[in-house]
Amino acid sequence: EAAELLGLRNYMEVLSLFTTADLVAPTSDENVTVTDTAMNSVPVRLFLPRRAAGGLRRAMLLFHGGGWCLGDASMRNYDLISRRVSNELNAVVVSVNYRLAPPHHFPAQFEDVYSVSKFFLQSEVLSQYKVDPARVCVAGDSAGGNLAAAVAQQLSEDPEVKTKLKAQVLIYPALQALDLDLPSYRDNAHKPVLPRSLMVRFWSEYFTSDPALREAMASNSHVPAGSGALLQLVDWRRWLPEEMRKAHAFRERSWGGAELARRYPGFLDPRAAPLLASDARLSRLPRAYILTCEHDVLRDDGVMYAGRLRAAGVPVTHHHAEDGFHGAMTFLSWPIELALGHRLLNACLDWLRENL
């Protein structure tokens, strides 16, 4: 914050320095061949299992988290997750390095991951990597979960894509920016690793570096009047179970003017806010694994999406970690290695063995 106030660096550029310190080279081992390459001109880290295929393989398109501003496929724990998926499931993993904000704002991040997904799903590419076209999934955590959900929705409607996804894996995903006063935002407003103020900054920076949007989002007054129909899709009084609504009272919101939505329409776009998709669109989606954590501002996004998907007829496995917090699955190695992180990853891998 000091660097930004002094005009030295954008807040996110300072945070990205911590990301850079955690990068690892693409190192192959006895189980997996790892290379940095590109697909459709978008950089990716590719993980190919070394053992004999014994038939066609599974595949995962993986999108890292970091609030659309931070993160990298070559961060130590994303590299570790990709290796485990590739080795234990005999799967090809394509971990995508999409453009980040700033300087790139929505829809650049979505366009990059969608471009890679559409390229990879071509029959000749799947054949090149010996991938079974009936066993491909998208996956991501946090902002990456947002991108995975959005990609799954878009692919389901793209007439040029003949291969259908088998599954979507959404790890504590961010799924809407209309209501930033959900019970989970209140309960976890000041908790690490993702306090409300930082999530508001991530959301606003995804669309623009204009502080006007950030200030409006901070007071939950950024949605223009006349958006009531969209807000029904994220109405926590309907979509949260009673035990998660707790004693929270619904607060009437302050409506914003039309100007911010006109200049930065992304927060009303399902490509950025997958919870805004219609029921008909949701009904075409593949089965889902959704992880939510109790101590996470994004808890209610994932819970509501699980409810809406089920209502649309989509098979959903919702794993709620009562002792979990945002980012927990990436605490897998030194300097912070947690049994919780390994437990959550193992549960996800078990689901993939059965469902992919």
Side-chain angles (χ1 to χ4, degrees), residues 28-276:
S28 301
D29 58 31
E30 67 274 16
N31 299 311
V32 181
T33 299
V34 184
T35 54
D36 284 345
T37 182
M39 291 187 178
N40 241 11
S41 301
V42 178
V44 303
R45 178 160 288 192
L46 181 64
F47 298 78
L48 300 175
R50 289 196 169 191
R51 63 179 143 172
L56 295 178
R57 295 186 168 103
R58 302 173 170 105
M60 172 183 284
L61 293 152
L62 179 63
F63 313 136
H64 66 77
W68 311 277
C69 301
L70 311 171
D72 194 288
S74 59
M75 289 178 69
R76 184 180 311 277
N77 287 313
Y78 287 118
D79 184 270
L80 178 58
I81 290 169
S82 298
R83 286 173 189 276
R84 286 199 59 189
V85 171
S86 183
N87 180 39
E88 296 182 27
L89 301 181
N90 197 26
V92 175
V93 178
V94 181
S95 190
V96 184
N97 268 326
Y98 51 88
R99 287 171 289 175
L100 300 174
H104 305 288
H105 302 290
F106 174 82
Q109 292 83 341
F110 171 80
E111 289 173 344
D112 283 357
V113 295
Y114 193 73
S115 173
V116 170
S117 301
K118 193 168 178 177
F119 175 85
F120 186 76
L121 289 172
Q122 296 175 102
S123 58
E124 58 269 29
V125 177
L126 295 173
S127 178
Q128 174 187 346
Y129 294 112
K130 299 181 175 61
V131 169
D132 185 344
R135 303 178 81 186
V136 182
C137 76
V138 290
D141 68 310
S142 192
N146 166 285
L147 294 168
V151 164
Q153 290 184 9
Q154 190 90 345
L155 287 173
S156 72
E157 298 180 343
D158 192 331
E160 297 179 353
V161 179
K162 306 306 179 186
T163 302
K164 301 299 182 185
L165 293 176
K166 179 70 176 293
Q168 53 183 323
V169 177
L170 313 179
I171 307 301
Y172 28 80
L175 297 170
Q176 61 85 34
L178 262 68
D179 190 352
L180 304 180
D181 188 39
L182 301 175
S184 60
Y185 273 90
R186 301 177 196 175
D187 290 341
N188 302 295
H190 304 292
K191 292 182 182 178
V193 169
L194 186 65
R196 182 182 186 273
S197 59
L198 181 55
M199 191 63 228
V200 167
R201 182 67 187 255
F202 280 141
W203 269 122
S204 63
E205 199 76 51
Y206 188 23
F207 306 117
T208 176
S209 294
D210 180 354
L213 180 60
R214 181 167 73 250
E215 291 163 7
M217 283 185 158
S219 60
N220 209 36
S221 60
H222 57 294
V223 177
S227 301
L230 289 177
L231 284 170
Q232 289 299 312
L233 300 175
V234 298
D235 187 344
W236 59 267
R237 295 170 296 180
R238 176 181 180 186
W239 294 111
L240 288 185
E242 184 176 355
E243 63 270 19
M244 289 189 175
R245 294 197 299 268
K246 302 177 182 175
H248 289 288
F250 184 81
R251 294 195 283 242
E252 293 298 330
R253 66 184 304 135
S254 299
W255 295 102
E259 181 62 19
L260 284 175
R262 184 190 66 78
R263 282 159 42 201
Y264 314 116
F267 63 84
L268 302 176
D269 189 326
R271 294 176 300 166
L275 256 171
L276 302 187

Side-chain angles (χ1 to χ4, degrees), residues 286-297:
R287 68 189 64 182
Y289 180 89
I290 299 176
L291 170 67
T292 56
C293 292
E294 180 65 22
H295 307 288
D296 182 4
V297 293

